[in-house]
C-alpha cells in the first residue's frame, strides 16, 4: 500500500487496491467508496475534508466542519488520471475518466464521460 489516508480508515471502502498508487484519501468529513476496477494515475487526491472558512488563525487550520456527509463514490471502472483532485460530496459514474490535473467539484456526474479542467466539466462522452 503506497496510498495515504488522512482521517478515519474505516471510512475508506476499497474493492481493489491494485492500482491506487500514491493517492491521498481524506476521510475526515465523509466516506470514500471505490468500486471494482477503479484506478488512479500518480498524485491523485480524493478529499472529503475541508476547513471552516468562518474560523480564523489556529481554529481554521486545526478544526474541521462538524458535518460528515461529504461522501465520495467512484463507481465501477472509473479512471482518475495523474494530478486530479476530487472534492466531496461527489459521485462519478461508471467507466468515466477524470483527466490529468482536473479539479472535480461536488456533484453527481454521469456514466461514460470524460471530466477535465478546473473546475472540471464534461468535455466528452465515451461511446
Amino acid at each position: 500500500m503506497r496510498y495515504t489516508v488522512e482521517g478515519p480508515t474505516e471510512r475508506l471502502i476499497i474493492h481493489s487496491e491494485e492500482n491506487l498508487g500514491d493517492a491521498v484519501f481524506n476521510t475526515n468529513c465523509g466516506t470514500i467508496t471505490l468500486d471494482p476496477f477503479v484506478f488512479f494515475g500518480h498524485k491523485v487526491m480524493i478529499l472529503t475534508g475541508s476547513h471552516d472558512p468562518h474560523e480564523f488563525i489556529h481554529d481554521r487550520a486545526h478544526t474541521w466542519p462538524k458535518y460528515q456527509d461529504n461522501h465520495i463514490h467512484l463507481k465501477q471502472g472509473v479512471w482518475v488520471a495523474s494530478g486530479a483532485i476530487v472534492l466531496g460530496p461527489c459521485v462519478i459514474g461508471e467507466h468515466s475518466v477524470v483527466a490529468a490535473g482536473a479539479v472535480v467539484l461536488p456533484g453527481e456526474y454521469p456514466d461514460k464521460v470524460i471530466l477535465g479542467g478546473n473546475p472540471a466539466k464534461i468535455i466528452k462522452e465515451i461511446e
Side-chain angles (χ1 to χ4, degrees):
M1 172 174 79
R2 296 185 330 220
Y3 60 82
T4 303
V5 180
E6 298 291 334
T9 58
E10 65 273 10
R11 291 187 189 160
L12 179 59
I13 302 163
I14 301 174
H15 292 279
S16 172
E17 295 186 9
E18 190 172 326
N19 293 301
L20 302 182
D22 55 355
V24 173
F25 298 99
N26 180 309
T27 61
N28 282 310
C29 293
T31 299
I32 297 171
T33 304
L34 307 179
D35 284 355
F37 308 108
V38 168
F39 68 101
F40 295 162
H42 299 284
K43 309 293 183 196
V44 167
M45 290 189 280
I46 310 296
L47 309 173
T48 70
S50 183
H51 295 275
D52 189 340
H54 301 97
E55 299 288 343
F56 300 101
I57 308 172
H58 180 271
D59 291 336
R60 180 183 281 176
H62 299 286
T63 59
W64 293 269
K66 302 294 184 238
Y67 51 84
Q68 299 295 317
D69 58 357
N70 271 359
H71 308 300
I72 296 174
H73 184 180
L74 304 184
K75 293 189 176 181
Q76 178 173 294
V78 168
W79 166 24
V80 183
S82 295
I85 301 170
V86 177
L87 304 174
C90 186
V91 176
I92 298 178
E94 290 186 0
H95 308 293
S96 289
V97 176
V98 177
V103 178
V104 180
L105 298 181
E108 192 160 333
Y109 300 91
D111 297 345
K112 297 182 181 175
V113 295
I114 298 174
L115 301 167
N118 180 4
K121 301 204 181 317
I122 297 172
I123 57 176
K124 185 176 183 180
E125 292 185 18
I126 300 170
E127 298 290 327

